[in-house]
Amino acid sequence: MADLGEPKAALRHYLQETRDDLIWKLDGLSEREARLPRTGTGNNLLGVLKHCLNVEAVYFGPTFGREFPTPGELVPIQLYDEDPQADWYAREDETKDGLIDLYRRVGTFADQTIEQLPLDAPGRVPWWRPDGQVVTLHRIIVHVTCDLARHAGHADIMREQHDAAIGLRRENTNIPHDYDWPAYVTKLTRLADRFG
């Protein structure tokens, strides 16, 4: 286990845990189930993963003068002009297993950036507002971890709606076991109805 008292190790630990959480939310799903829109804006589990891998690739790549070794596997920046949702769904030629593999390779690439640079290493995010484009590696690790955690929360809810697979991890859900969830939902509904 990483020495969580060491700042860079702690940051990498939480970043990796969030990556792992995103991947396990796809565990056991068919291609259709992974791609199926689950919200009115088309959010889907595989699309969330694809978005997150592209986020990591650009923040830990061009921000610090690095390029992912196989940039053709990523969504090209110019494609966002045609389709601003280009990284939120898997194309027909992309597979769940292929995108999971790509995400793991992007994670390795991002980890190399983190290993090679000090936390105060300067970077530049050209798509941020002009007075906020200069960043440090530390800020980017925190920014990306928060972004990924937000999307992991989306994935949690989408997976729960699909088959009730809930919690932090399959082996440690961090949710009470043998809890009467229908009774709990009824209790909360009655409470909410008092304000209706």
Side-chain angles (χ1 to χ4, degrees):
M1 179 164 194
D3 174 11
L4 299 185
E6 197 275 308
K8 192 184 275 191
L11 291 167
R12 283 190 59 197
H13 169 79
Y14 289 108
L15 177 59
Q16 185 59 52
E17 278 201 343
T18 306
R19 291 175 185 147
D20 294 342
D21 294 345
L22 284 162
I23 290 170
W24 96 257
K25 292 300 176 178
L26 290 163
D27 188 38
L29 297 181
S30 69
E31 286 287 337
R32 181 181 186 279
E33 292 166 336
R35 296 165 180 266
L36 191 65
R38 309 224 176 243
T39 71
T41 55
N43 277 324
N44 62 90
L45 287 157
L46 191 53
V48 167
L49 182 91
K50 183 176 174 180
H51 170 75
C52 290
L53 75 85
N54 279 278
V55 164
E56 282 203 58
V58 297
Y59 276 111
F60 291 107
T63 298
F64 297 100
R66 300 184 71 226
E67 185 175 359
F68 187 65
T70 54
E73 293 184 276
L74 304 172
V75 176
I77 196 78
Q78 63 274 15
L79 189 56
Y80 292 105
D81 291 334
E82 298 170 31
D83 182 1
Q85 291 294 103
D87 66 339
W88 283 98
Y89 61 91
R91 298 182 319 261
E92 191 171 351
D93 64 325
E94 294 173 319
T95 66
K96 179 183 82 166
D97 290 343
L99 286 172
I100 289 171
D101 175 67
L102 177 57
Y103 191 31
R104 288 186 171 123
R105 289 185 286 121
V106 165
T108 299
F109 170 75
D111 288 346
Q112 290 168 349
T113 300
I114 295 168
E115 289 169 15
Q116 294 170 5
L117 300 174
L119 287 175
D120 62 353
R124 183 173 170 270
V125 184
W127 57 91
W128 285 7
R129 68 180 193 280
D131 63 338
Q133 292 180 354
V134 176
V135 295
T136 63
L137 176 62
H138 184 229
R139 180 174 177 194
I140 290 301
I141 297 170
V142 171
H143 177 82
V144 170
T145 303
C146 289
D147 189 50
L148 268 54
R150 179 177 187 212
H151 296 310
H154 297 146
D156 287 341
I157 292 168
M158 289 188 284
R159 184 63 191 251
E160 181 179 353
Q161 289 174 334
H162 172 69
D163 65 1
I166 58 173
L168 186 61
R169 285 186 233 28
R170 195 173 292 283
E171 70 277 2
N172 176 17
T173 64
N174 207 25
I175 305 287
H177 296 288
D178 300 324
Y179 196 78
D180 187 349
W181 293 109
Y184 180 68
V185 169
T186 299
K187 171 184 165 180
L188 296 184
T189 302
R190 284 187 190 134
L191 180 61
D193 287 346
R194 291 181 188 164
F195 294 91

